[in-house]
Amino acid sequence: MAVLILHYHEIWLKGYNRKFFISKLKEAVEYSLDGLPVRTVRHEENRILAWLDTSGDENPQTITHEAVQRLKKVPGIAYLAIAQEFPPQLDQIVERGAELMLKASFHTFAVRAKRSRKDIPFRAADIHHQLGRRIEEKAREAGQSVKVDLDHPDSTCHVEILNQRALVYTEKIPGLGGLPTGTAGKLVCLLSGGFDSTVAAYKIMRRGVRLCFVHFYGNPEQPGEDSPPIAQKLVRVLTPYQGRSQLFLVPFTEVQQQVVALAPQSLRILLYRRLMLRIAERIARHTRSHGTVTGDSIAQVASQTLQNMEAVGGVATMPVYRPLAGDDKQEILDTARRIGTYEISSEPFTDCCPLYLPKSPRIFSTVGELDAAESALDIPTLVKRAFDARRKEVYEYRAGKVNVQRSEERRSRYETAPAGMVVQA
Ligand code: ATP
Ligand code: MG
């Protein structure tokens, strides 16, 4: 039987709400381990413990490895470890701790022991001395020479003494950090298929926010370059971080045709962004979310100058979160590689027909200029029609796999309007 120890950090700051955060973390851990032979998940003395019953399995390592891979995607876990459980007695800890250490080879080592309670009849220092000495003895018997190095050890024997048990392990595995899913409410993320909004989604999910995704799509430039399959693949990769996701696919061609027909060319992208924001807010109200998330990064492209972000964001009636505002592109790409979305976002796709893109986009616009440029558009009708034409998909993470339910395709007037038609108010 292996015991997984899951430590949290930030929940410590939560004062009277701590119980709520811990119950959400426990729920997320149970959800993530679904389908594995878990005997119990319990909160005990400021950590979560999960017992994995690997006795009936031919390859227990595969199961613990799978459990760890899944837990690394659970927000709220600062670090985790696969531990052996012993009775909380000094002689047992010393003998069996030394055996565990000697399973791997090393030159330098350290022992780090923690007691969570003071009513244990020995001190952490006793473990440091006696276990350290026993490790040296056993190594000598095996013909190895090892020595203590408290600053940069090759290997560390961690001992955590709880009331009922001693837990011993040699590796601390970094977790995702952040806060448990469902502790911060919901937001709607504008997910383009590109690198940035995907990384923005990941950063916000780590803070305990549940995201609903919205993707706007137009006609592809080349056959096979539709953008919805990219958004769908990305949501599959992102869903394990929150357990369950909704993706709204919203057709955008007609909005673009209206903007092209009725507004100045150089402002097109900014007007598309304003309309996306408004439609996303409509979805936010529909899903009881508290705002929107975008992948904007200051000055990365022309639409992301401070002036243009002010001019576009001027129509927002809910908070817009831009978690990448201060990130460099390289940092964003590194994160995309780490979370496994880089390859997907690198695939060719077009979410906006190039014909509808301006030759030279405006770099510094204003709220007033965009308001004036929109005056010929019937914004409420455009927003309503796009909202009504949405398609919803639900992604569920169960037993380590993501399953999708697709709603019936809505064939609204909007989606079926002939290409080039200018929708009248
Ligand atoms: P990304 O890499 O996320 O596409 P970007 O740097 O290419 O971002 P823009 O294309 O200007 O920047 O888009 C800015 C933000 O607007 C995106 O990060 C995303 O949040 C939103 N957005 C843009 N296009 C779409 C789309 N087709 N569907 C949903 N959201 C979009
Ligand atoms: Mg983009």
Side-chain angles (χ1 to χ4, degrees), residues 317-346:
T317 61
M318 298 174 108
V320 183
Y321 294 93
R322 299 181 175 91
L324 308 187
D327 288 1
D328 285 351
K329 192 75 189 186
Q330 198 51 50
E331 294 171 58
I332 297 169
L333 296 180
D334 290 346
T335 308
R337 279 198 189 88
R338 192 153 43 78
I339 63 174
T341 58
Y342 182 89
E343 300 296 328
I344 304 170
S345 290
S346 306

Side-chain angles (χ1 to χ4, degrees), residues 87-249:
Q89 294 154 8
L90 189 55
D91 55 344
Q92 294 269 344
I93 296 166
V94 167
E95 198 50 40
R96 296 170 74 178
E99 269 169 36
L100 186 72
M101 273 296 271
L102 271 276
K103 285 189 177 162
S105 67
F106 54 88
H107 295 298
T108 57
F109 76 98
V111 175
R112 304 216 192 279
K114 270 196 296 200
R115 275 192 323 174
S116 68
R117 303 169 73 110
K118 300 289 169 225
D119 53 0
I120 309 265
F122 51 88
R123 297 165 310 149
D126 298 329
I127 302 177
H128 292 151
H129 292 139
Q130 296 195 28
L131 176 54
R133 213 174 310 128
R134 188 71 187 120
I135 290 170
E136 283 173 335
E137 266 171 28
K138 273 182 114 42
R140 214 176 304 120
E141 286 163 18
Q144 292 171 27
S145 101
V146 298
K147 65 174 197 276
V148 172
D149 178 347
L150 295 181
D151 297 322
H152 305 287
D154 298 338
S155 184
T156 302
C157 190
H158 298 273
V159 182
E160 297 186 12
I161 313 288
L162 312 187
N163 186 27
Q164 304 288 334
R165 53 192 113 253
L167 299 168
V168 183
Y169 54 92
T170 55
E171 193 192 355
K172 272 188 180 182
I173 305 163
L176 198 63
L179 294 167
T181 304
T183 55
K186 275 197 270 181
L187 291 172
V188 166
C189 176
L190 289 87
L191 188 77
S192 67
F195 299 106
D196 302 328
S197 41
T198 315
V199 171
Y202 162 79
K203 288 182 79 170
I204 291 290
M205 283 191 295
R206 283 182 60 195
R207 300 304 302 162
V209 174
R210 183 177 289 289
L211 288 182
C212 301
F213 299 99
V214 53
H215 174 73
F216 299 95
Y217 64 95
N219 296 328
E221 188 182 5
Q222 306 280 339
E225 290 195 355
D226 313 73
S227 59
I230 305 288
Q232 289 164 326
K233 283 190 215 171
L234 290 172
V235 173
R236 269 184 186 277
V237 176
L238 294 172
T239 295
Y241 294 98
Q242 57 176 2
R244 184 173 193 274
S245 308
Q246 294 184 326
L247 166 64
F248 294 93
L249 295 165

